[in-house]
Structure formats: structure tokens, C-alpha cells
Amino acid sequence: MTLERTFLMIKPDGVSRGLVGEIVQRIEQKGYRIAAMKMMTIGPDMARDHYAEHRTKPFFGDLVSFITSGPVVAMVIEGERAVDGIRAMMGRTEPKDSPPGTIRGDLAVNLSRNVVHGSDSQESAKREISLFFHEGEQNDNTRADHAWLYPIQKKKDR
Ligand SMILES: Nc1ncnc2c1ncn2[C@@H]1O[C@H](COP(=O)(O)OP(=O)(O)O)[C@@H](O)[C@H]1O
Ligand SMILES: [Mg+2]
């Protein structure tokens, strides 16, 4: 069992709508560890970097101006298969296709105001984490319930 790190961001709509607590609660209750978290306003250069894969899309300009329009909450989340796990908790990109129980399915109605961003692969996670956080900003603490979240590893598996 290896613990994976992923990047999750509550976008300006989620922060402005007072959904930070709700989203953080879901992450904590699932059993993930928050290794880093900060509230910040992204500048245009960083926004273009973050969304570089979309630079040729027609919605790129709107995406950059929206993501820089107000504070976001950026997080590094750690857990077993956390990249896929967080994507599953988020739902689909389009809120109307996101099932109830997911963040976008429960808390959003519009594609361009879908409350959260999450890394879509381990490579994206590495890139996005290093764009938003210095190594020293990530904490290596252990959750008090770690032993209840994961089976005790036998010596030979270590
Ligand atoms: N066709 C579109 N029109 C407007 N905004 C879009 C469109 N497609 C995606 N977006 C916005 O750009 C963000 C990044 O897109 P994408 O990486 O495809 O989705 P996801 O956030 O689920 O990884 C989406 O979360 C959404 O807010
Ligand atoms: Mg994406």
C-alpha cells in the first residue's frame, strides 16, 4: 500500500459560496490526510500555467479570468489511490452529469462554475502540487486514526 498525493483546489465560486468547510469535511471524513492547505489569489501567469493543457480551447480566456477573480483554497491531499479517489469524490466535469453524493453533483449546476479542481493523473498531481506548494509547505504528520484507515503492514511487506 503506497500513499499517493494529489492536488485539490476549491475554486473562487466555492470559496465565495461558503463551501470550504463542507468540502474539507468530506475529504477529512473519507479518511484522506490534508498535507497542505492555503487560501490565495492566483495571478494570471500562474493561472495560464495551471490550465496550460486548455490554452487552445475557446473557453481558456474565461477560465483564466474566472480562476483569478477571487481567492481559492489550494490543498495537497494524501491517501491510498488519492488521485482517482478525489476525482471520484468530485464527480464529472459537467455538474448535471455528476451523480448525487459527489461534490459537483451535490453543490454545483454549471460547467464553468463547478466548485473544485482536482488532478486527473499522478503526473498532473506532481506538476500542480509543485506549482502551488514548496516542499517545505507540505506536512508529514500522521492522522490519529491512521491504523483504522489502513491495515497494519506485515514486516515482509515494508
Ligand atoms: N466547454 C467548456 N466551457 C466552459 N468551461 C469549460 C468547458 N470545459 C471545461 N470547462 C472548465 O474548465 C475546467 C477544466 O476543464 P477539464 O480539465 O476538462 O475538467 P476537470 O476540471 O473536470 O478536470 C473545468 O473544470 C470547467 O470549469
Ligand atoms: Mg482537468
Side-chain angles (χ1 to χ4, degrees):
M1 193 266 303
T2 45
L3 298 182
E4 214 170 77
R5 285 187 185 185
T6 190
F7 176 72
L8 178 79
M9 175 169 66
I10 305 175
K11 297 184 188 181
D13 52 337
V15 174
S16 295
R17 291 175 54 208
L19 297 173
V20 174
E22 166 73 30
I23 293 164
V24 169
Q25 183 172 32
R26 287 176 183 227
I27 293 161
E28 289 185 318
Q29 288 185 339
K30 169 81 173 167
Y32 292 133
R33 184 177 73 83
I34 300 172
M37 175 158 70
K38 65 180 166 191
M39 188 169 177
M40 61 188 285
T41 302
I42 304 175
D45 288 347
M46 187 168 175
R48 279 190 284 268
D49 248 18
H50 174 67
Y51 280 125
E53 64 172 310
H54 298 303
R55 63 188 173 280
T56 58
K57 309 263 175 69
F59 58 84
F60 185 66
D62 288 344
L63 187 58
V64 168
S65 61
F66 167 61
I67 210 71
T68 57
S69 67
V72 302
V73 173
M75 284 175 258
V76 177
I77 308 296
E78 185 187 80
E80 185 174 355
R81 284 177 292 179
V83 173
D84 289 349
I86 286 289
R87 289 292 297 195
M89 286 181 75
M90 287 166 53
R92 308 279 298 274
T93 305
E94 170 62 84
K96 80 172 162 50
D97 300 329
S98 302
T102 63
I103 294 169
R104 287 167 171 172
D106 289 345
L107 307 175
V109 286
N110 183 277
L111 171 62
S112 62
R113 299 291 184 272
N114 58 6
V115 179
V116 279
H117 165 87
S119 309
D120 61 7
S121 66
Q122 293 190 44
E123 296 69 47
S124 308
K126 281 207 172 61
R127 192 183 74 80
E128 292 168 0
I129 288 170
S130 63
L131 184 62
F132 281 80
F133 292 96
H134 304 297
E135 193 62 42
E137 290 178 298
Q138 297 181 55
N139 299 279
D140 288 322
N141 60 302
T142 304
R143 281 181 62 127
D145 55 359
H146 182 88
W148 295 103
L149 293 165
Y150 302 104
I152 294 161
Q153 286 188 278
K154 295 190 197 90
K155 269 196 177 131
K156 68 175 172 60
D157 300 334
R158 284 182 190 159

